[in-house]
Amino acid sequence: MAPKASKARRPTISDVARHAGVSTSLVSLVLQGSPLVREPKRAAVDAAIKELGYRPSRAAATLAGGASKTIGLIIDDYRNLWFVELLHGLQAELEQHGYHVTVVDSPGDETPGNGPIDQLLSLRVDGIVVAMDPRDSMLPATWAPTVVAGWRDRIPDGADLVANDDTAGGRLAAGHLLDLGHTRIAHLTGSGGAAAHRRAGFLLRCAEAGLPVRLWGEGHGTSEEDGYQAARALMEHFPDTTAIFAANDIMAVGALAALRERGLQAPRDVSVLGYDNSPLAMSRYLDLSSIDAKSGDVGIGAARALLARMEESSRPLLRTLIQPELAPRGTTAAVSP
């Protein structure tokens, strides 16, 4: 992780130039992504930016220029339906206070000075909500009030946290399947802080019941394709599985497709349980059983935490966990005799 800039004096473009042994105009060209800069000079500037924790001067203007009444929301995938309810709750609360939300995604191909934090600061946002696992470039101080929405692997220093209690949600998922009499249970998991907490809660509850879990997908993604591939592999190795808990609703949809390929149906042959209670799960066509992550409440909580942080920057850090609920529907049922 790059060293944090001193709170007394933020590094300037001149500091970067001196550190890299180049001119300020060349640093500007690097920040603009100019192809005119030779690679050795570009590498020296990139290294100086990282070592000093520098962000473009427009970041300082964000705070100096007064309130913009804009809040930035950083996500990593527009296709993740978890963001729908989160954004709805966030907007509903912030609009009451005259703020609007700008959404940016972080595809992972950032260049120095052009990451999602920099994009938002260039828009002079008054605060930032991070709804993804922060990358290294987001971990140093952003110089804007920041709240993390949802469990993450790492939380930036100085950021508040509002999240669904995913560990409790995992336990709730296991308890539901156990109550239905299932003993040959599998879990399709993935990478990221939320998946890790859901996995931990699920495994712990099954261990308390004395049941092993057929775990698949650890370290991989949590997309529909990931759920499909994990379920295919799972059923190849354990065709007698009677219940599957997926780390989110999207993965559960992929699992349903894999089961259908094998001529299996949920819940007749295999019960399938998702997580998030997204609009997809609520659709009458899928009728997917899910754990309600209360994403709208997380959004409301994140908005309130951010407003409080903007009003009083020195207040103690907030860690708020919102309790999930079971939303049983048509894809889970008692195990067949």
Side-chain angles (χ1 to χ4, degrees):
M1 184 188 303
K4 295 177 183 174
S6 168
K7 292 184 178 179
R9 179 181 179 278
R10 301 184 183 101
T12 66
I13 193 170
S14 297
D15 294 329
V16 174
R18 281 194 296 272
H19 197 79
V22 300
S23 66
T24 55
S25 59
L26 190 139
V27 175
S28 295
L29 288 174
V30 171
L31 292 174
Q32 295 166 22
S34 171
L36 301 177
V37 182
R38 289 162 136 196
E39 189 53 40
K41 295 291 187 181
R42 185 185 303 279
V45 171
D46 288 348
I49 288 172
K50 183 177 180 180
E51 291 171 18
L52 295 176
Y54 169 78
R55 294 191 183 278
S57 59
R58 63 194 182 195
T62 299
L63 298 182
S68 67
K69 304 303 285 186
T70 302
I71 300 300
L73 171 64
I74 305 176
I75 65 177
D76 57 358
D77 189 349
Y78 282 104
R79 296 168 297 181
N80 190 333
L81 295 177
W82 177 80
F83 297 120
V84 175
E85 292 301 314
L86 174 78
L87 180 59
H88 179 74
L90 190 70
Q91 286 180 321
E93 185 68 23
L94 291 173
E95 284 174 356
Q96 297 181 44
H97 300 270
Y99 288 90
H100 66 274
V101 180
T102 294
V103 183
V104 299
D105 68 338
S106 181
D109 55 352
E110 304 166 17
T111 57
N114 194 38
I117 292 289
D118 301 287
Q119 294 176 42
L120 290 175
L121 291 178
S122 72
L123 297 174
R124 300 177 54 164
V125 298
D126 298 311
I128 295 172
V129 176
V130 179
M132 60 172 290
D133 281 292
R135 298 191 175 93
D136 288 342
S137 60
M138 300 179 196
L139 293 175
T142 63
W143 305 331
T146 301
V147 174
V148 174
W151 272 115
R152 307 299 165 196
D153 285 332
R154 295 178 290 179
I155 308 298
D157 291 341
D160 296 300
L161 170 70
V162 180
N164 169 251
D165 190 340
D166 291 297
T167 303
R171 291 183 61 90
L172 194 60
H176 175 56
L177 298 179
L178 291 170
D179 288 344
L180 292 173
H182 293 279
T183 57
R184 298 189 296 275
I185 299 174
H187 177 35
L188 308 184
T189 185
S191 59
H197 283 276
R198 294 170 187 182
R199 179 171 64 247
F202 189 80
L203 293 177
L204 180 59
R205 179 66 183 86
C206 287
E208 290 171 355
L211 287 178
V213 174
R214 298 161 178 185
L215 190 64
W216 223 268
E218 191 169 6
H220 294 279
T222 55
S223 68
E224 180 180 349
E225 179 66 17
D226 292 315
Y228 169 75
Q229 295 294 348
R232 283 191 67 189
L234 165 72
M235 297 306 294
E236 285 291 331
H237 285 78
F238 300 104
D240 62 340
T241 297
T242 64
I244 294 175
F245 167 50
N248 60 30
D249 291 341
I250 295 292
M251 290 190 78
V253 171
L256 289 170
L259 292 174
R260 185 179 61 187
E261 280 189 356
R262 296 179 65 90
L264 303 175
Q265 293 182 10
R268 185 193 67 191
D269 304 300
V270 181
S271 285
V272 176
L273 176 65
Y275 201 114
D276 287 335
N277 199 30
S278 65
L280 191 65
M282 299 180 200
S283 70
R284 288 184 174 85
Y285 179 74
L286 286 178
D287 198 30
L288 177 67
S289 295
S290 186
I291 302 299
D292 191 344
K294 299 290 184 179
S295 302
D297 292 344
V298 172
I300 292 171
R304 291 175 178 172
L306 191 58
L307 291 167
R309 179 63 57 194
M310 291 190 293
E311 181 178 345
E312 185 184 350
S313 61
S314 61
R315 65 186 290 118
L317 287 177
L318 180 70
R319 297 289 184 266
T320 300
L321 294 182
I322 295 172
Q323 293 305 302
E325 293 181 0
L326 174 66
R329 296 193 180 90
T331 58
T332 53
V335 64
S336 300

